[in-house]
Amino acid sequence: MTQLHPSENPFVHVGLTAKGGARECGAGRTAGSIYVECGLSLTGVPLEQYLHDPPIPVEPAQLGLSSQGVTIIEDDKGVRHIVDMVGASHYPYPSDFIEEARLMGVSRKVPKTTDLRGITSASMLILVHARASVVNAAAVSAASDMICPNARHKPGEDCAGLHWVVAEENDGPGRRRLNCGTYELTPRAPGAPTPVLQHAFFMAVPITAMTVIANHDGSVDEAAQKSAGRAGVPVSVAHN
Ligand SMILES: [Zn+2]
């Protein structure tokens, strides 16, 4: 299920945390909450290698995935991973999430009740989105200037590059705006078929840290710290 083991990637450092502050999912992180993180180095990581290319269609109900919260799965090697649904209300398209991650790293809230035992630096945070796979991928892709982020697919094939084809512009021609900046979309040919979208795994990133957000008075929620401490990755405390 996972594409890349952290040990194969020299750019990922255990203990590295993501950036705090405003994201598409809110103005700041919630005091007393736990966030699972993949911190990216400031020199920049080629994020493309963490994309499922092409995305892997999935039925959320089969995974027991709700629109909020996370599910822990175990792979055939006994490694546990966190599966998390990225809500389309905050991130309308997977490309919004990916472009934000490129700038800020990945930081996702985990309920305090989640059993984090068995989550280690070998674990991945696997991300699902309701618009991550194109049912009519061949037709949509053929009518686009799609560029495969991994240089494996051509227009006409299903590919992670379609995330930037199906997203709608909202910041002038061919651009989308996020709280953290704007990014460029890939042009669709005039008369291109309307994309039909479905749930899919679109990205899996190594888990480099757990962060507990301190309370406003500077204290740290004990239950949150205890729960985060059950994971076998570094735990840090942040103030936003
Ligand atoms: Zn591709």
Side-chain angles (χ1 to χ4, degrees), residues 43-64:
T43 52
V45 137
L47 202 62
E48 284 67 23
Q49 61 184 296
Y50 299 120
L51 302 182
H52 287 297
D53 189 13
I56 303 164
V58 65
E59 199 54 68
Q62 282 177 355
L63 284 169

Side-chain angles (χ1 to χ4, degrees), residues 53-54 146 148-153 158-161:
D53 189 13
M146 194 269 298
C148 175
N150 293 300
R152 282 203 297 266
H153 305 114
D158 194 6
C159 174

Side-chain angles (χ1 to χ4, degrees), residues 8-174:
E8 293 164 6
N9 186 343
F11 294 101
V12 171
H13 308 284
V14 171
L16 208 58
T17 59
K19 286 188 187 175
R23 289 176 179 254
E24 293 309 305
C25 52
R29 296 187 286 185
T30 314
S33 294
I34 303 171
Y35 288 77
V36 54
E37 303 202 321
C38 175
L40 305 173
S41 80
L42 293 174
T43 52
V45 137
L47 202 62
E48 284 67 23
Q49 61 184 296
Y50 299 120
L51 302 182
H52 287 297
D53 189 13
I56 303 164
V58 65
E59 199 54 68
Q62 282 177 355
L63 284 169
L65 263 181
S66 59
S67 55
Q68 291 188 321
V70 299
T71 301
I72 307 275
I73 60 164
E74 194 169 304
D75 68 18
D76 51 13
K77 295 188 187 88
V79 180
R80 302 182 89 205
H81 307 280
I82 299 176
V83 181
D84 183 14
M85 176 93 81
V86 174
S89 56
H90 290 121
Y91 297 88
Y93 295 99
S95 54
D96 297 334
F97 186 88
I98 297 163
E99 294 291 348
E100 184 187 83
R102 199 192 296 283
L103 295 176
M104 302 184 72
V106 174
S107 178
R108 300 287 297 170
K109 195 179 195 169
V110 177
K112 265 182 265 191
T113 49
T114 308
D115 183 359
L116 294 170
R117 279 174 296 186
I119 298 299
T120 68
S121 59
S123 302
M124 307 290 277
L125 173 61
I126 301 169
L127 299 150
V128 180
H129 193 286
R131 293 174 172 162
S133 166
V134 187
V135 177
N136 52 346
V140 170
S141 173
S144 77
D145 295 338
M146 194 269 298
I147 300 163
C148 175
N150 293 300
R152 282 203 297 266
H153 305 114
K154 293 192 277 293
E157 296 175 339
D158 194 6
C159 174
L162 287 175
H163 298 314
W164 289 267
V165 171
V166 302
E168 298 291 340
E169 63 192 26
N170 68 359
D171 193 45

